Amino acid sequence: MRTYCIIGDPVSHSLSPAMHNAAFNSLGLDYVYIAYKVSSSELEDSVESLRSVKISGFNVTIPHKTAVLQYLDEVDQLSRKAGAVNTVTNIDGKFKGFNTDVHGFVQPLLNRRIDFRGLSVLLFGAGGSARAVVTSLSNVNGISRLVLANRTYSKSLELSKLAEINGLTCSVARVEEAKAMAKRFDLVVNATSVGLQSNESILDSEDIDGSSTVYDLVYRPVMTKLLENARAKGATIIYGYEMLLEQGAQAFEIWTGIKAPILAMKKALFGVFQEPK
Ligand SMILES: NC(=O)c1ccc[n+]([C@@H]2O[C@H](COP(=O)([O-])OP(=O)(O)OC[C@H]3O[C@@H](n4cnc5c(N)ncnc54)[C@H](OP(=O)(O)O)[C@@H]3O)[C@@H](O)[C@H]2O)c1
């Protein structure tokens, strides 16, 4: 019997327990995955408690992805680059951190055989997930330019430093400016919370070009207003659930060393969501 969990605040909305328990069940593994609400003031004690109960591994979500680094024994190179950890594994009592959002973001692009050579990218947002996106983009060869736009301008300036340190040609735009030039980008990514459980969209359909790829990290609802607008213009769309699934699959593989049963995990998600047409 092994135990895994997710820590975050809020955490009750998390789909990770359903996804990982489905994966364990489908392979007949006697493992269980649970969610713990942990506030920022409880983080250090909670990580130590997980150590004393010999937890096999855990996921970390909002708002602890950066703060947790200081309580781990080791972190891999990608998490250090991103400055954030979302997956921890217990190796003989030592906690090692990984960032599977970085892989989770890029895999749906690879699945669609998107050519990164000369690709221009417009990224909305400068929070935790935008950091993972920037780290992902700096790991693939060929991105020609990256423009960052965020409601709080100073945060995009800060994120642009991470992009540049990691070798990307990057500039910063105000959100309104970015909307006006969105049609000129091959890939447009929404890494803000705009559209989360709402009918809002960072871009109207007139702001979107049919030859672009539009990727929304928001996965509730599955078909966000942004993706609806992009689809109406004939653009290629990438759903947030795809990243969720891929980051979960990589976490599963880090923990178990077994190839993730991605179909069982997807089925668990669509037991909650309605599958898009
Ligand atoms: N698909 C996946 O696997 C996956 C993984 C991670 C996150 N996500 C989703 O991605 C979204 C962002 O997550 P996160 O972890 O990056 O959160 P975060 O660190 O809290 O950052 C939130 C971002 O959204 C912006 N924002 C929030 N409300 C806004 C508004 N009303 N108008 C304009 N911008 C607004 C913030 O701008 P300011 O800086 O101005 O506050 C910030 O850039 C969430 O919806 C989350 O569910 C999906």
Side-chain angles (χ1 to χ4, degrees), residues 10-257:
V11 80
S12 58
H13 67 287
S14 174
L15 298 169
S16 294
M19 203 165 59
H20 285 290
N21 285 319
F24 297 151
N25 289 337
S26 79
L27 296 176
L29 299 169
D30 189 16
Y31 303 167
V32 70
Y33 186 112
I34 41 187
Y36 286 119
K37 184 175 177 206
V38 168
S39 68
S40 294
S41 62
E42 295 166 330
L43 181 62
E44 182 175 6
D45 286 349
S46 300
V47 172
E48 286 320 306
S49 305
L50 294 176
R51 210 186 278 281
S52 36
V53 297
K54 299 185 174 57
I55 194 116
S56 299
F58 59 100
N59 283 131
V60 183
T61 190
I62 290 174
H64 307 314
K65 287 184 185 181
T66 297
V68 77
L69 262 85
Q70 61 193 306
Y71 306 123
L72 304 178
D73 302 296
E74 201 185 330
V75 295
D76 81 331
Q77 206 195 349
L78 268 187
S79 340
R80 193 162 298 287
K81 207 166 160 181
V85 157
N86 77 329
T87 299
V88 177
T89 193
N90 185 346
I91 308 166
D92 301 327
K94 299 264 185 238
F95 280 172
K96 179 169 181 183
F98 298 84
N99 190 318
T100 69
D101 286 335
V102 173
H103 161 83
F105 172 76
V106 84
Q107 192 57 44
L109 293 164
L110 297 172
N111 292 347
R112 283 173 177 73
R113 301 190 193 290
I114 302 276
D115 188 355
F116 295 111
R117 285 169 305 176
L119 197 83
S120 56
V121 185
L122 175 59
L123 170 61
F124 289 98
S129 61
R131 290 183 75 85
V133 172
V134 166
T135 308
S136 270
L137 294 174
S138 71
N139 265 8
V140 295
N141 284 328
I143 304 297
S144 67
R145 102 183 152 113
L146 170 66
V147 175
L148 302 176
N150 188 52
R151 180 178 60 179
T152 310
Y153 188 77
S154 58
K155 286 198 197 162
S156 27
L157 277 178
E158 206 177 297
L159 185 57
S160 73
K161 287 184 201 144
L162 176 78
E164 277 164 5
I165 288 170
N166 290 313
L168 290 165
T169 304
C170 179
S171 56
V172 174
R174 305 261 171 208
V175 172
E176 285 311 313
E177 251 182 297
K179 282 184 184 175
M181 61 181 178
K183 277 186 172 166
R184 288 188 243 143
F185 290 81
D186 301 311
L187 174 64
V188 178
V189 181
N190 177 37
T192 75
S193 321
V194 176
L196 175 66
Q197 287 174 328
S198 84
N199 200 33
E200 290 167 340
S201 171
I202 201 92
L203 292 176
D204 297 324
S205 53
E206 2 0 318
D207 304 324
I208 299 167
D209 191 82
S211 65
S212 303
T213 297
V214 177
Y215 192 159
D216 199 345
L217 266 55
V218 172
Y219 53 78
R220 273 180 195 256
V222 174
M223 179 56 97
T224 59
K225 185 72 182 163
L226 171 65
L227 293 182
E228 221 174 84
N229 290 344
R231 191 147 84 167
K233 293 309 286 276
T236 301
I237 61 172
I238 304 184
Y239 296 99
Y241 85 80
E242 298 176 57
M243 173 172 169
L244 180 71
L245 198 56
E246 296 292 351
Q247 64 76 27
Q250 195 187 40
F252 180 94
E253 288 168 12
I254 288 169
W255 291 330
T256 64

Side-chain angles (χ1 to χ4, degrees), residues 13 15 18 220 222 266-275:
H13 67 287
L15 298 169
R220 273 180 195 256
V222 174
K266 186 173 177 182
K267 219 165 140 189
L269 288 186
F270 286 106
V272 178
F273 296 142
Q274 257 193 335
E275 187 157 18

